[in-house]
PDB file of all heavy atoms in Angstrom:
ATOM      1  N   LEU A1598     -37.697  24.858  41.623  1.00 76.00           N
ATOM      2  CA  LEU A1598     -36.817  25.608  42.527  1.00 76.00           C
ATOM      3  C   LEU A1598     -36.047  24.689  43.485  1.00 76.00           C
ATOM      4  O   LEU A1598     -34.984  25.058  43.975  1.00 76.00           O
ATOM      5  CB  LEU A1598     -37.641  26.622  43.333  1.00 76.00           C
ATOM      6  CG  LEU A1598     -38.339  27.718  42.510  1.00 76.00           C
ATOM      7  CD1 LEU A1598     -39.174  28.601  43.411  1.00 76.00           C
ATOM      8  CD2 LEU A1598     -37.309  28.551  41.742  1.00 76.00           C
ATOM      9  N   ARG A1599     -36.554  23.509  43.758  1.00 86.00           N
ATOM     10  CA  ARG A1599     -35.883  22.578  44.684  1.00 86.00           C
ATOM     11  C   ARG A1599     -34.753  21.818  43.984  1.00 86.00           C
ATOM     12  O   ARG A1599     -33.994  21.102  44.637  1.00 86.00           O
ATOM     13  CB  ARG A1599     -36.901  21.588  45.248  1.00 86.00           C
ATOM     14  CG  ARG A1599     -37.966  22.235  46.128  1.00 86.00           C
ATOM     15  CD  ARG A1599     -38.882  21.173  46.706  1.00 86.00           C
ATOM     16  NE  ARG A1599     -38.160  20.267  47.583  1.00 86.00           N
ATOM     17  CZ  ARG A1599     -38.506  19.003  47.772  1.00 86.00           C
ATOM     18  NH1 ARG A1599     -39.529  18.479  47.117  1.00 86.00           N
ATOM     19  NH2 ARG A1599     -37.817  18.244  48.593  1.00 86.00           N
ATOM     20  N   TYR A1600     -34.644  21.969  42.663  1.00 85.00           N
ATOM     21  CA  TYR A1600     -33.619  21.245  41.892  1.00 85.00           C
ATOM     22  C   TYR A1600     -32.214  21.550  42.407  1.00 85.00           C
ATOM     23  O   TYR A1600     -31.432  20.644  42.666  1.00 85.00           O
ATOM     24  CB  TYR A1600     -33.738  21.616  40.411  1.00 85.00           C
ATOM     25  CG  TYR A1600     -32.585  21.136  39.561  1.00 85.00           C
ATOM     26  CD1 TYR A1600     -32.520  19.831  39.102  1.00 85.00           C
ATOM     27  CD2 TYR A1600     -31.546  22.004  39.214  1.00 85.00           C
ATOM     28  CE1 TYR A1600     -31.464  19.385  38.328  1.00 85.00           C
ATOM     29  CE2 TYR A1600     -30.486  21.574  38.447  1.00 85.00           C
ATOM     30  CZ  TYR A1600     -30.450  20.267  38.004  1.00 85.00           C
ATOM     31  OH  TYR A1600     -29.402  19.832  37.243  1.00 85.00           O
ATOM     32  N   GLN A1601     -31.887  22.852  42.576  1.00 85.00           N
ATOM     33  CA  GLN A1601     -30.545  23.256  43.009  1.00 85.00           C
ATOM     34  C   GLN A1601     -30.234  22.731  44.404  1.00 85.00           C
ATOM     35  O   GLN A1601     -29.095  22.412  44.724  1.00 85.00           O
ATOM     36  CB  GLN A1601     -30.445  24.793  43.007  1.00 85.00           C
ATOM     37  CG  GLN A1601     -30.662  25.404  41.643  1.00 85.00           C
ATOM     38  CD  GLN A1601     -29.360  25.830  41.006  1.00 85.00           C
ATOM     39  OE1 GLN A1601     -28.303  25.735  41.601  1.00 85.00           O
ATOM     40  NE2 GLN A1601     -29.437  26.307  39.771  1.00 85.00           N
ATOM     41  N   GLU A1602     -31.265  22.632  45.228  1.00 87.00           N
ATOM     42  CA  GLU A1602     -31.075  22.184  46.608  1.00 87.00           C
ATOM     43  C   GLU A1602     -30.817  20.674  46.689  1.00 87.00           C
ATOM     44  O   GLU A1602     -29.950  20.217  47.429  1.00 87.00           O
ATOM     45  CB  GLU A1602     -32.334  22.538  47.414  1.00 87.00           C
ATOM     46  CG  GLU A1602     -32.317  22.049  48.853  1.00 87.00           C
ATOM     47  CD  GLU A1602     -33.666  22.214  49.536  1.00 87.00           C
ATOM     48  OE1 GLU A1602     -34.513  22.955  49.006  1.00 87.00           O
ATOM     49  OE2 GLU A1602     -33.863  21.579  50.591  1.00 87.00           O
ATOM     50  N   LEU A1603     -31.548  19.892  45.882  1.00 89.00           N
ATOM     51  CA  LEU A1603     -31.471  18.434  45.973  1.00 89.00           C
ATOM     52  C   LEU A1603     -30.446  17.818  45.021  1.00 89.00           C
ATOM     53  O   LEU A1603     -29.745  16.873  45.388  1.00 89.00           O
ATOM     54  CB  LEU A1603     -32.860  17.831  45.709  1.00 89.00           C
ATOM     55  CG  LEU A1603     -33.956  18.195  46.720  1.00 89.00           C
ATOM     56  CD1 LEU A1603     -35.288  17.610  46.302  1.00 89.00           C
ATOM     57  CD2 LEU A1603     -33.581  17.704  48.116  1.00 89.00           C
ATOM     58  N   VAL A1604     -30.359  18.349  43.811  1.00 90.00           N
ATOM     59  CA  VAL A1604     -29.424  17.791  42.819  1.00 90.00           C
ATOM     60  C   VAL A1604     -28.129  18.591  42.888  1.00 90.00           C
ATOM     61  O   VAL A1604     -27.857  19.448  42.042  1.00 90.00           O
ATOM     62  CB  VAL A1604     -30.031  17.811  41.397  1.00 90.00           C
ATOM     63  CG1 VAL A1604     -29.109  17.097  40.405  1.00 90.00           C
ATOM     64  CG2 VAL A1604     -31.391  17.155  41.393  1.00 90.00           C
ATOM     65  N   THR A1605     -27.326  18.325  43.891  1.00 91.00           N
ATOM     66  CA  THR A1605     -26.060  19.041  44.054  1.00 91.00           C
ATOM     67  C   THR A1605     -24.969  18.378  43.207  1.00 91.00           C
ATOM     68  O   THR A1605     -25.062  17.183  42.875  1.00 91.00           O
ATOM     69  CB  THR A1605     -25.625  19.043  45.529  1.00 91.00           C
ATOM     70  OG1 THR A1605     -25.395  17.686  45.943  1.00 91.00           O
ATOM     71  CG2 THR A1605     -26.684  19.680  46.407  1.00 91.00           C
ATOM     72  N   ASN A1606     -23.957  19.155  42.889  1.00 90.00           N
ATOM     73  CA  ASN A1606     -22.863  18.612  42.076  1.00 90.00           C
ATOM     74  C   ASN A1606     -22.135  17.496  42.817  1.00 90.00           C
ATOM     75  O   ASN A1606     -21.668  16.522  42.208  1.00 90.00           O
ATOM     76  CB  ASN A1606     -21.878  19.729  41.714  1.00 90.00           C
ATOM     77  CG  ASN A1606     -20.914  19.291  40.631  1.00 90.00           C
ATOM     78  OD1 ASN A1606     -21.328  18.789  39.588  1.00 90.00           O
ATOM     79  ND2 ASN A1606     -19.623  19.451  40.863  1.00 90.00           N
ATOM     80  N   LYS A1607     -22.055  17.612  44.140  1.00 93.00           N
ATOM     81  CA  LYS A1607     -21.392  16.572  44.953  1.00 93.00           C
ATOM     82  C   LYS A1607     -22.113  15.236  44.798  1.00 93.00           C
ATOM     83  O   LYS A1607     -21.483  14.177  44.657  1.00 93.00           O
ATOM     84  CB  LYS A1607     -21.376  17.016  46.416  1.00 93.00           C
ATOM     85  CG  LYS A1607     -20.513  16.150  47.318  1.00 93.00           C
ATOM     86  CD  LYS A1607     -20.436  16.759  48.706  1.00 93.00           C
ATOM     87  CE  LYS A1607     -19.553  15.886  49.614  1.00 93.00           C
ATOM     88  NZ  LYS A1607     -19.451  16.461  50.980  1.00 93.00           N
ATOM     89  N   ARG A1608     -23.441  15.268  44.812  1.00 94.00           N
ATOM     90  CA  ARG A1608     -24.224  14.039  44.666  1.00 94.00           C
ATOM     91  C   ARG A1608     -24.091  13.465  43.252  1.00 94.00           C
ATOM     92  O   ARG A1608     -24.022  12.247  43.071  1.00 94.00           O
ATOM     93  CB  ARG A1608     -25.697  14.323  44.975  1.00 94.00           C
ATOM     94  CG  ARG A1608     -25.953  14.547  46.462  1.00 94.00           C
ATOM     95  CD  ARG A1608     -27.376  14.966  46.727  1.00 94.00           C
ATOM     96  NE  ARG A1608     -27.606  15.137  48.163  1.00 94.00           N
ATOM     97  CZ  ARG A1608     -28.706  15.690  48.682  1.00 94.00           C
ATOM     98  NH1 ARG A1608     -29.671  16.122  47.878  1.00 94.00           N
ATOM     99  NH2 ARG A1608     -28.836  15.808  49.983  1.00 94.00           N
ATOM    100  N   VAL A1609     -24.053  14.346  42.270  1.00 96.00           N
ATOM    101  CA  VAL A1609     -23.910  13.890  40.887  1.00 96.00           C
ATOM    102  C   VAL A1609     -22.532  13.271  40.659  1.00 96.00           C
ATOM    103  O   VAL A1609     -22.404  12.258  39.962  1.00 96.00           O
ATOM    104  CB  VAL A1609     -24.156  15.052  39.893  1.00 96.00           C
ATOM    105  CG1 VAL A1609     -23.855  14.629  38.464  1.00 96.00           C
ATOM    106  CG2 VAL A1609     -25.594  15.534  39.998  1.00 96.00           C
ATOM    107  N   VAL A1610     -21.502  13.861  41.251  1.00 96.00           N
ATOM    108  CA  VAL A1610     -20.151  13.282  41.160  1.00 96.00           C
ATOM    109  C   VAL A1610     -20.148  11.876  41.766  1.00 96.00           C
ATOM    110  O   VAL A1610     -19.525  10.952  41.215  1.00 96.00           O
ATOM    111  CB  VAL A1610     -19.114  14.183  41.870  1.00 96.00           C
ATOM    112  CG1 VAL A1610     -17.780  13.464  42.028  1.00 96.00           C
ATOM    113  CG2 VAL A1610     -18.920  15.483  41.088  1.00 96.00           C
ATOM    114  N   ALA A1611     -20.856  11.703  42.893  1.00 97.00           N
ATOM    115  CA  ALA A1611     -20.961  10.374  43.517  1.00 97.00           C
ATOM    116  C   ALA A1611     -21.654   9.387  42.580  1.00 97.00           C
ATOM    117  O   ALA A1611     -21.241   8.227  42.456  1.00 97.00           O
ATOM    118  CB  ALA A1611     -21.724  10.477  44.836  1.00 97.00           C
ATOM    119  N   VAL A1612     -22.702   9.865  41.889  1.00 97.00           N
ATOM    120  CA  VAL A1612     -23.406   9.019  40.909  1.00 97.00           C
ATOM    121  C   VAL A1612     -22.463   8.614  39.782  1.00 97.00           C
ATOM    122  O   VAL A1612     -22.432   7.444  39.366  1.00 97.00           O
ATOM    123  CB  VAL A1612     -24.635   9.761  40.333  1.00 97.00           C
ATOM    124  CG1 VAL A1612     -25.206   9.013  39.123  1.00 97.00           C
ATOM    125  CG2 VAL A1612     -25.709   9.918  41.399  1.00 97.00           C
ATOM    126  N   VAL A1613     -21.675   9.567  39.287  1.00 97.00           N
ATOM    127  CA  VAL A1613     -20.724   9.289  38.196  1.00 97.00           C
ATOM    128  C   VAL A1613     -19.687   8.253  38.642  1.00 97.00           C
ATOM    129  O   VAL A1613     -19.351   7.332  37.883  1.00 97.00           O
ATOM    130  CB  VAL A1613     -20.031  10.594  37.737  1.00 97.00           C
ATOM    131  CG1 VAL A1613     -18.831  10.294  36.843  1.00 97.00           C
ATOM    132  CG2 VAL A1613     -21.018  11.480  37.003  1.00 97.00           C
ATOM    133  N   ILE A1614     -19.197   8.394  39.861  1.00 97.00           N
ATOM    134  CA  ILE A1614     -18.225   7.413  40.389  1.00 97.00           C
ATOM    135  C   ILE A1614     -18.843   6.022  40.421  1.00 97.00           C
ATOM    136  O   ILE A1614     -18.209   5.031  40.014  1.00 97.00           O
ATOM    137  CB  ILE A1614     -17.738   7.839  41.791  1.00 97.00           C
ATOM    138  CG1 ILE A1614     -16.866   9.102  41.684  1.00 97.00           C
ATOM    139  CG2 ILE A1614     -16.944   6.703  42.450  1.00 97.00           C
ATOM    140  CD1 ILE A1614     -16.546   9.736  43.028  1.00 97.00           C
TER     141      ILE A1614
END
Side-chain angles (χ1 to χ4, degrees):
L1598 297 177
R1599 295 183 64 209
Y1600 169 81
Q1601 299 257 356
E1602 176 190 345
L1603 297 177
V1604 186
T1605 63
N1606 193 51
K1607 190 174 180 180
R1608 288 174 178 170
V1609 173
V1610 168
V1612 169
V1613 167
I1614 291 170

